[in-house]
Structure formats: structure tokens, C-alpha cells
Amino acid sequence: MADLDMNNLNALVGKMLGDLGGAFSVPTVRIGFRLGLFKALADAGPLSAAALAQRTGLAERYVREWAMAQACNGYVSLDPGTGAFFLTPEQAMVFVNEDSPVYLAGAFDLAAAMIEGEPKVEAAFRNGGGVAWGDSAGCLFCAVGAFFRPGYVNAIVQAWLPALDGMVPALERGVRVADIGCGVGFSTLLMAQAFPNSQFIGYDFHGPSIEQANAHAAAHGIADRVRFVTMAAKDIADRDFDLVTMFDCLHDMGDPRGCAAHIKGMLKPDGRWMLVEPIAGDNPGDAVGNPVSRLYYNASTMICVPTSMAQEVGEALGAQAGEARLTEVLKGAGFGHVHRATEGPFNMVLEARP
């Protein structure tokens, strides 16, 4: 065994303390979301632990320990002079404002879902099989939808669609759009609300997700011009779409190449495919030390690769496939023009044309 470098060891242990503190925070933060503790502090803070407990109707001893845990996390603030707890505007962006681009309730639910699914994924490590979408945890699909929603709320209409030249005017006039892998429907509904003259169909192979999507459409009063269908991508028979969108899901599919070829056949000759995928470098070394890649590689290990491996072909692109590999998949399916239209801190947007 090589001699230990104590400086390196101490640095690693210090990093691990920070990482474990974040991991230990997952259940307490989820409790804070579900019981309205963060919201109460945002609405009425600063509050003592006793006042926070009274406002939320919860047991004071638990609330006091919870509030100190969040203060130690840095997720709420503590006035040491008065002992009162409060949220800064920045903390409220993360823990209270549901339409903030950095609202992270879904991220904590996703972490919990990955822990719940751990035994099934471990079994897949041993047998080389997969874990079907929806099977690894009780409501993984809910957590994934909630995780991606803030980004979609702040980017689809404002940045991603405008990055496709002429697409926004076309949507305003009225076109046919297929949103494949729509999940619980957040992406489809955001587009349908923004462009009332266009028609939208959301497709997903997971029935419970489509049930939620249809319920969301009815609740928003737009079920007359957006509908959701339970169907695998390669089984879609509808054709002549002006635009196909796919948000954070091609890499989850068992046969992304077959799906890409099928999508080409769904488009009009001048139609376009907007493919949104997690941002990633093309070389593995680019990911090391990158906090976004760290999140995506861990999620990909626990969710994306097992999901793909449970389907036919099981190519398992993974959530960090990178632009070069994705472009190769699309061009191999017959798309003559593929380019990165835009990007954000968590996603890249590729435009593909026949």
C-alpha cells in the first residue's frame, strides 16, 4: 500500500462530511416541503421555533430540531441574537417559489426515489438486466416530473423554442406538435398554453404518467386542444407533424436509433425535431469535477441505464451521452442536418431536420 498523503486524506474526509451532510438532509428537507415549514417561514418569518410550530400546527420539539438542522444545512437562516428563523430571498427561490428555475423540491424527492430503488438496481448489476420505468420506486415518475418542471417552466417557451429559427411564428400561426416521452405532461402543457393555435399530442409508454397528464390538461382547461396517449415511441402511427419534441428521454429508450428513424417518418418534409438532453461533454474526462455531470451520472446509474436495459435492444445511452454520440444516432437515422441550437446550465438543445 502506498504511503498516505495526510493532506489528501483530510481533504477527502472533509469533502465526504459535506456530501454526507447533504445526503442526511434529504429526509428532513422533504418533511419541510410536505409539512409547509419552508413556506411558513417565507410567509411569516422571522419566527421562533415555537411560533413556527404554532403556525404550522406541528409539535414544537420536532420543529425546533428541524429548524436547527436546516440552519446547519444553510437552507434557512438563524438570527443568533433573537433565535428566530427566516428565509433569505435566495433560499426562498430554492425552497418556496415553485416557478423559480432553481426550485429543488423534486430533486430531493428524486434522491429518495433512487434510494428506494437501490435493491432492484443492485440486482440488475448482478444479472445484467434492467429495471422497468415505474418499477424501481413508488412514484419515481412523479419525482422526475417535479425535478424537470422548473427548468421547463423557465426555458421551453422563453429560450428553447425560439432557438429554432422561425418556429415560434409557426407555433403562433398553428402547427401540429408531438411531444414524445412527455411523462406527466408538464412540457406539453407549457407549449399548449403558450401557443393556443397549435395542436399538441403527448405520448408516453407509461400509463400512470399519461393518467396524470390528462388530469393536468383537464385542470388547466385545455383538454380540447391537447391530448395524451399511452404509446411507445416506435408504435406511434400519426404522421405529418411540423414539430416533434423530446425532453430528457431519448437516452432512456431501449432503442434510440429505431426511435430516431421512426420520428423521421412522423415529420413533414420540412418538419423539425427538437431534442433536449442533459448537457454533457463528449470525453469522459470532461465530467470529472463537474457538479452537473456528477448529478447526472449518479441518476443515470440508478434510473436511466436500468430503464433502457429493461427495454428491447437496451442500448443504454445514459444521461451523459454527449452531443457527438447523439448526433451520430440522429444522422444514422437519416437526419441530414443536426446542430446544437442552444444550451443552458443543465441541458443542450439539438435541432434535427430530415
Side-chain angles (χ1 to χ4, degrees):
M1 183 175 178
D3 293 339
L4 285 175
D5 184 317
M6 293 306 298
N7 289 330
N8 287 344
L9 177 61
N10 289 334
L12 178 59
V13 172
K15 170 180 165 49
M16 293 306 302
L17 288 174
D19 289 351
L20 289 170
F24 282 21
S25 77
V26 169
T28 63
V29 169
R30 294 180 77 217
I31 287 171
F33 280 118
R34 289 197 300 271
L35 299 184
L37 287 158
F38 289 114
K39 188 175 187 308
L41 285 176
D43 290 345
L47 295 172
S48 67
L52 178 58
Q54 183 176 25
R55 184 173 180 87
T56 54
L58 301 172
E60 179 183 343
R61 182 66 187 89
Y62 284 101
V63 170
R64 178 165 23 114
E65 208 74 358
W66 176 90
M68 279 305 306
Q70 304 321 307
C72 290
N73 286 335
Y75 299 162
V76 307
S77 297
L78 169 66
D79 183 334
T82 64
F85 299 91
F86 62 96
L87 290 183
T88 65
E90 296 77 20
Q91 289 166 337
M93 287 281 284
V94 174
F95 295 103
V96 179
N97 182 356
E98 295 184 7
D99 287 338
S100 157
V102 292
Y103 180 68
L104 291 177
F108 287 90
D109 286 343
L110 189 55
M114 285 192 283
I115 294 296
E116 184 182 341
E118 179 186 335
K120 294 181 180 179
V121 176
E122 181 178 336
F125 267 74
R126 298 178 186 278
N127 61 35
V131 182
W133 183 253
D135 285 354
S136 64
C139 201
L140 173 65
F141 67 95
C142 307
V144 169
F147 174 73
F148 283 119
R149 180 187 176 276
Y152 295 167
V153 166
N154 288 276
I156 291 178
V157 174
Q158 300 89 330
W160 296 347
L161 288 169
L164 277 62
D165 186 45
M167 182 51 65
V168 167
L171 286 162
E172 290 172 341
R173 290 191 301 270
V175 296
R176 295 183 72 236
V177 182
D179 187 17
I180 299 176
C182 66
V184 297
F186 291 141
S187 54
T188 324
L189 293 170
L190 287 165
M191 293 187 290
Q193 288 173 316
F195 303 105
N197 292 328
S198 291
Q199 295 290 321
F200 295 85
I201 307 175
Y203 300 94
D204 200 283
F205 75 158
H206 185 241
S209 292
I210 290 298
E211 289 177 14
Q212 286 201 12
N214 276 314
H216 290 149
H220 286 85
I222 55 175
D224 59 325
R225 54 189 178 81
V226 59
R227 62 187 177 94
F228 294 96
V229 180
T230 303
M231 188 170 292
K234 292 196 300 183
D235 294 334
I236 299 171
D238 294 322
R239 294 291 184 271
D240 294 326
F241 286 100
D242 300 278
L243 174 66
V244 169
T245 58
M246 190 176 286
F247 297 94
D248 293 295
C249 63
L250 181 69
H251 64 270
D252 293 316
M253 295 184 176
D255 183 14
R257 299 174 192 276
C259 176
H262 190 81
I263 288 172
K264 182 174 181 292
M266 292 173 58
L267 287 167
K268 291 180 177 178
D270 61 347
R272 286 183 270 180
W273 179 10
M274 185 174 80
L275 176 66
V276 178
E277 281 284 305
I279 198 162
D282 292 321
N283 300 307
D286 297 338
V288 178
N290 184 320
V292 175
S293 292
R294 181 187 182 189
L295 289 175
Y296 278 134
Y297 264 115
N298 279 284
S300 188
T301 303
M302 299 303 296
I303 302 170
C304 308
V305 167
T307 294
S308 178
M309 295 282 279
Q311 301 170 58
E312 62 169 341
V313 181
E315 181 164 347
L317 283 174
Q320 292 287 275
E323 182 179 0
R325 191 173 182 193
L326 291 168
T327 298
E328 182 264 321
V329 169
L330 271 56
K331 289 194 171 182
F335 285 92
H337 175 79
V338 180
H339 79 287
R340 185 183 296 206
T342 189
E343 64 183 59
F346 298 102
N347 291 95
M348 57 181 163
V349 180
L350 303 182
E351 179 185 8
R353 301 189 187 195

